[in-house]
Amino acid sequence: MKEYEIIVGLETHIQLNTETKIFCACKADSWEAEPNTNVCPVCTGQPGVLPRINAEAVQKGALLAAAMHAEINPCSLFDRKHYFYPDLPKGFQITQLFEPIGKGGYLDLYMPDGEIKRVRINKMHLEEDAGKTKLEHGQRKVDLNRGGVPLVEMVTEPDLRSGEEAAQYLSQLRELLRWIGVSEADMERGHLRCDANVSIREKGSTVFNTKTEIKNVNSIDSVRQAITQEAKRQIELVESGGKVEQYTLDWDADTGKLSMMRSKEGEADYRYFREPDLQPVILSNEEIEAIKASLPELPYARRRRFVEEYQLSAYDAEVLTSERGLSDYFEEAVALYAKEPKTISNWMMNDMIRLMNDTGKSARDLVLKPAALVEIVKLIDDGKINAATGKSLLVKVEQTGKSPATIVEEEGLGLIADADSLRKQIETILAGAPNEVAAYRGGKETLMGWFVGQVMRATRGKADPKLTREILVELLKN
Ligand code: ZN
Ligand code: MN
């Protein structure tokens, strides 16, 4: 068998998390609304109404373009894309074909083997979403709540080479969208939808063969599986003397199977022309520079910086930058206690992430703020409490909202660092263990550990370990 290369391009639709829809004042998020309750004459396509562009959608689209290193179009235009479908009552979708909001750009994928793979973006444009149809009791019903929700459609060049690379792209794009705050990117809610173009060619060849388009690959796993499966089908077809035809395939995530939908229509069928009811979207140089300047440090830049600046391991840096709020939390804590970034990182990697999982909260929503975490770490470093108490304090601060010091005070959790009272307790313990004392004094010095254990047990772990040892050594001497 010959060696083949898989060629993949992805087309994603990203739902922007704006307050209102792209051309009217209806709420953009209507996930929980009853069907057809979040609509108005504009988004249901009534005759005689005029669309009005949502400035927030333009801002967020342009910010995404900046994050993708794309050129932000200073004068983008809207076009009508005509097709007939029940979920699109006005008979055309308002989109951008000739002058999209962003041109070019790329996303650098950080692959698990440490390589960086650059995926070029062909274009990205703003458009309105259509409604939804669903089959209910044998009837096809239309819900227009989603009609007019702002989307960015983003198309890659055919730069991906496997289902795994496509899965990486989708997962890292999702992370980026959340990081810069333009989309919730919740794939189960359709905030990030994906279609995949797949073709194969002999290794070493540079031609592009006929591709098929897989629709509805709407999870990271689906992308990986559907592309792998389709490439295998094409290779087997070609190997057995067949020819790949231009088909649209539907991916069924429940059964893990692809099925043929229809042969694909060309672009000319949509009869694109300029949308006459909308003005061009003009962005001045100053506005474009302001958008670029508002872009936060991106996840991978921050990841590298965490390794270099704080000497974190690559793994710790990756976990701490998996979400922007978490990485902000870390830096805020480190700024308050610059001595020990590694200690802060350890606390976050273990106990804080557990606390977040247990409470279902993100770092930003925790009651336990960075200052409280730092206070706990300092209490341990200063020998005021032990590590186990520190762990329990995290949970108690989260539950009560009280400061760590207050809880230590109220519950008497502090270490016994008062030498006089500790000495009295130790004297009592030694008096109760004459055999061990004699054995120790007779040369069995390994018993020291046993004595420390006895003191810890008697004080329920609250004796200052260093002080305990000092007093024991002194009392056992004679
Ligand atoms: Zn509306
Ligand atoms: Mn589209």
Side-chain angles (χ1 to χ4, degrees):
M1 197 167 111
K2 294 173 197 141
E3 267 208 81
Y4 290 92
E5 184 174 40
I6 304 169
I7 313 291
V8 182
L10 294 184
E11 179 181 317
T12 46
H13 282 89
I14 296 149
Q15 179 175 327
L16 298 175
N17 57 357
T18 53
E19 190 60 33
T20 56
K21 291 184 179 180
I22 188 166
F23 300 124
C24 64
C26 295
K27 286 253 169 292
D29 178 21
S30 60
W31 181 253
E32 286 175 352
E34 290 294 310
N36 299 307
T37 56
N38 185 43
V39 293
C40 74
V42 174
C43 56
T44 53
Q46 309 297 309
V49 295
L50 287 173
R52 246 189 77 172
I53 182 76
N54 175 350
E56 191 191 0
V58 174
Q59 285 291 319
K60 289 189 164 164
L63 186 66
L64 178 54
M68 302 300 291
H69 315 276
E71 181 199 328
I72 299 171
N73 196 335
C75 176
S76 69
L77 304 170
F78 284 93
D79 304 286
R80 291 185 177 183
K81 176 183 183 179
H82 295 82
Y83 64 95
F84 176 79
Y85 203 71
D87 65 13
L88 188 71
K90 64 179 184 286
F92 59 86
Q93 178 193 31
I94 305 180
T95 179
Q96 299 185 312
L97 179 66
F98 303 107
E99 287 297 338
I101 184 87
K103 293 177 177 176
Y106 59 86
L107 181 64
D108 276 341
L109 297 187
Y110 288 71
M111 302 303 289
D113 62 5
E115 291 288 301
I116 293 177
K117 158 108 197 177
R118 180 160 293 187
V119 182
R120 292 166 302 152
I121 303 302
N122 175 286
K123 66 164 198 158
M124 45 190 295
H125 66 249
L126 289 164
E127 64 184 25
E128 59 179 338
D129 206 347
K132 270 193 292 210
T133 64
K134 70 172 177 194
L135 204 56
E136 226 177 70
H137 311 301
Q139 283 183 309
R140 191 157 285 279
K141 296 189 169 174
V142 177
D143 174 11
L144 295 176
N145 279 350
R146 210 180 63 182
V149 164
L151 300 178
V152 168
E153 180 183 317
M154 198 154 81
V155 184
T156 74
E157 296 288 352
D159 287 348
L160 297 156
R161 290 292 172 270
S162 65
E164 179 53 36
E165 283 189 8
Q168 284 292 338
Y169 173 85
L170 208 55
S171 133
Q172 292 181 33
L173 174 63
R174 181 176 61 179
E175 183 184 1
L176 181 71
L177 294 170
R178 290 178 178 162
W179 188 278
I180 63 171
V182 298
S183 173
E184 304 310 310
D186 183 342
M187 297 186 78
E188 283 178 14
R189 292 193 172 196
H191 297 163
L192 175 58
R193 287 169 256 161
C194 180
D195 304 325
N197 288 305
V198 181
S199 65
I200 54 158
R201 68 184 175 200
E202 266 184 62
K203 238 189 175 118
S205 157
T206 51
V207 298
F208 287 103
N209 293 316
T210 305
K211 62 187 184 221
T212 55
E213 183 180 9
I214 315 173
K215 292 275 185 197
N216 300 320
V217 274
N218 291 328
S219 75
I220 311 276
D221 277 343
S222 290
V223 163
R224 189 184 291 110
Q225 285 177 46
I227 291 169
T228 307
Q229 220 181 93
E230 171 56 8
K232 187 166 170 275
R233 185 191 72 87
Q234 291 187 13
I235 291 170
E236 283 169 3
L237 186 67
V238 170
E239 280 287 303
S240 62
K243 206 164 161 276
V244 176
E245 283 182 72
Q246 192 171 350
Y247 268 113
T248 300
L249 298 147
D250 185 47
W251 171 254
D252 185 334
D254 294 330
T255 61
K257 287 204 169 95
L258 288 162
S259 56
M260 300 278 185
M261 279 168 77
R262 55 187 145 94
S263 62
K264 183 141 170 57
E265 61 261 46
E267 226 160 52
D269 295 343
Y270 292 124
R271 293 181 294 122
Y272 279 101
F273 64 77
R274 267 286 298 285
E275 165 59 62
D277 292 339
L278 282 168
Q279 302 274 353
V281 175
I282 307 287
L283 292 170
S284 68
N285 257 337
E286 292 72 37
E287 284 170 316
I288 288 175
E289 288 313 313
I291 289 165
K292 286 185 184 165
S294 73
L295 198 64
E297 182 183 30
L298 297 181
Y300 295 100
R302 185 165 284 191
R303 198 160 297 175
R304 272 198 302 275
R305 189 167 59 76
F306 276 15
V307 172
E308 283 160 21
E309 197 173 327
Y310 304 122
Q311 279 80 50
L312 300 189
S313 72
Y315 177 74
D316 289 6
E318 187 177 335
V319 173
L320 292 178
T321 56
S322 60
E323 195 215 316
R324 189 168 156 202
L326 194 63
S327 68
D328 287 345
Y329 192 109
F330 170 74
E331 289 219 279
E332 244 177 85
V334 170
L336 294 168
Y337 197 40
K339 197 179 92 184
E340 283 292 338
K342 184 63 197 159
T343 309
I344 303 279
S345 160
N346 286 342
W347 277 88
M348 290 191 62
M349 294 288 294
N350 299 304
D351 301 273
M352 262 207 42
I353 288 180
R354 187 173 316 127
L355 184 65
M356 287 163 60
N357 288 337
D358 289 349
T359 56
K361 289 182 186 170
S362 69
R364 237 180 282 243
D365 299 331
L366 286 177
V367 175
L368 177 87
K369 297 296 171 210
L373 175 67
V374 166
E375 194 185 328
I376 293 171
V377 175
K378 277 185 178 164
L379 284 170
I380 297 170
D381 283 2
D382 296 347
K384 300 257 173 58
I385 58 170
N386 62 30
T389 303
K391 285 175 199 282
S392 72
L393 271 178
L394 286 185
V395 179
K396 286 173 180 164
V397 170
E398 184 61 31
Q399 285 167 348
T400 63
K402 291 176 183 170
S403 81
T406 307
I407 298 172
V408 168
E409 178 71 38
E410 283 179 2
E411 299 190 15
L413 300 173
L415 289 180
I416 303 168
D418 167 6
D420 285 341
S421 87
L422 191 56
R423 175 186 292 267
K424 280 201 189 88
Q425 291 196 52
I426 292 175
E427 278 169 354
T428 312
I429 289 164
L430 293 184
N435 295 340
E436 285 79 4
V437 171
Y440 180 88
R441 285 181 179 151
K444 204 177 172 199
E445 290 189 8
T446 50
L447 275 169
M448 179 52 89
W450 184 83
F451 287 118
V452 172
Q454 294 304 303
V455 177
M456 287 302 163
R457 187 191 294 176
T459 58
R460 273 181 280 136
K462 289 193 289 178
D464 180 332
K466 193 161 157 271
L467 189 58
T468 301
R469 232 164 241 280
E470 280 168 16
I471 295 173
L472 275 169
V473 167
E474 191 201 320
L475 290 177
L476 285 166
K477 229 183 326 188
N478 33 53

